[in-house]
Amino acid sequence: MYFAALLARTEDGWEASDTELDDVESLSDLADLARDASIDDDSVLVFIEQEDAWFGVVRVDGEEDPRIYVSDAANAARSSYGEILTNELIGREPGDDDVDLDALDLDGTEEGEPESSASSDDEAPGGGDAVSSGPLGDLDLLGDFGVSARELRALEPGDALGEIADALGVAEVLEAVR
């Protein structure tokens, strides 16, 4: 079960709306959906959550490329909407199983933090390389909204979207569309 919502920034604050992802097949589709909700090319955040397994945030600012964060790449890669996000982040085309994900430096660690101990010898049950569990993407995408990279990384699926909304001052607005 997925939960998806759009938070569009306006001059009066944030407006939230739930959204259906049935017609979303690519990051471009998701970005177009966000841009349609945008007022005056202001920021739009797309929240996606799957049953406390993972959450993702996509930030769209006008015509700029979307910025993406996924809390757990391995769990997200196993779901249809999460796969769209993780494929974009690692540069993999849908159906491309030849990318060595563990060889890519995508663990999101900052200098001074320990790196993931994932081995490049890990194989997925289907024979392709496994996506390392843990965060993937732009840890700073919410920094100017008051959620630091460290805070974002510490959020747990299930509570994360509410905590982000609380930091933005729109927890009640988000809960209204839940």
Side-chain angles (χ1 to χ4, degrees):
M1 178 84 170
Y2 288 98
F3 169 73
L6 296 172
L7 286 174
R9 192 171 191 187
T10 70
E11 60 187 45
D12 297 326
W14 292 88
E15 292 181 10
S17 60
D18 62 344
T19 187
E20 290 296 322
L21 300 176
D22 294 340
D23 296 330
V24 173
E25 295 179 6
S26 68
L27 182 62
S28 294
D29 293 342
L30 192 58
D32 289 344
L33 187 67
R35 287 184 182 106
D36 289 345
S38 176
I39 298 171
D40 296 327
D41 287 336
D42 225 335
S43 299
V44 176
L45 301 176
V46 180
F47 288 167
I48 303 172
E49 179 179 59
Q50 183 185 17
E51 295 181 354
D52 299 338
W54 65 273
F55 71 92
V57 179
V58 178
R59 178 177 176 170
V60 178
D61 295 303
E63 292 300 317
E64 292 181 29
D65 288 340
R67 296 167 62 188
I68 306 166
Y69 173 78
V70 176
S71 67
D72 187 326
N75 280 329
R78 291 184 200 108
S79 68
S80 58
Y81 301 118
E83 182 180 33
I84 291 169
L85 303 180
T86 57
N87 281 349
E88 182 68 28
L89 288 167
I90 63 174
R92 178 171 60 177
E93 295 295 321
D96 181 6
D97 293 328
D98 296 332
V99 177
D100 182 5
L101 301 173
D102 290 323
L104 299 174
D105 183 20
L106 300 172
D107 66 356
T109 58
E110 299 176 56
E111 277 189 44
E113 292 183 352
E115 289 190 13
S116 170
S117 62
S119 167
S120 61
D121 296 332
D122 294 338
E123 289 287 322
D129 292 336
V131 177
S132 297
S133 63
L136 179 66
D138 186 347
L139 286 165
D140 294 319
L141 84 159
L142 299 173
D144 57 335
F145 296 136
V147 181
S148 71
R150 185 172 299 277
E151 291 168 324
L152 183 61
R153 192 179 168 105
L155 295 175
E156 295 291 326
D159 300 326
L161 301 183
E163 290 183 36
I164 293 168
D166 192 40
L168 297 173
V170 296
E172 290 178 15
V173 174
L174 181 64
E175 277 306 310
V177 299
R178 229 182 230 276

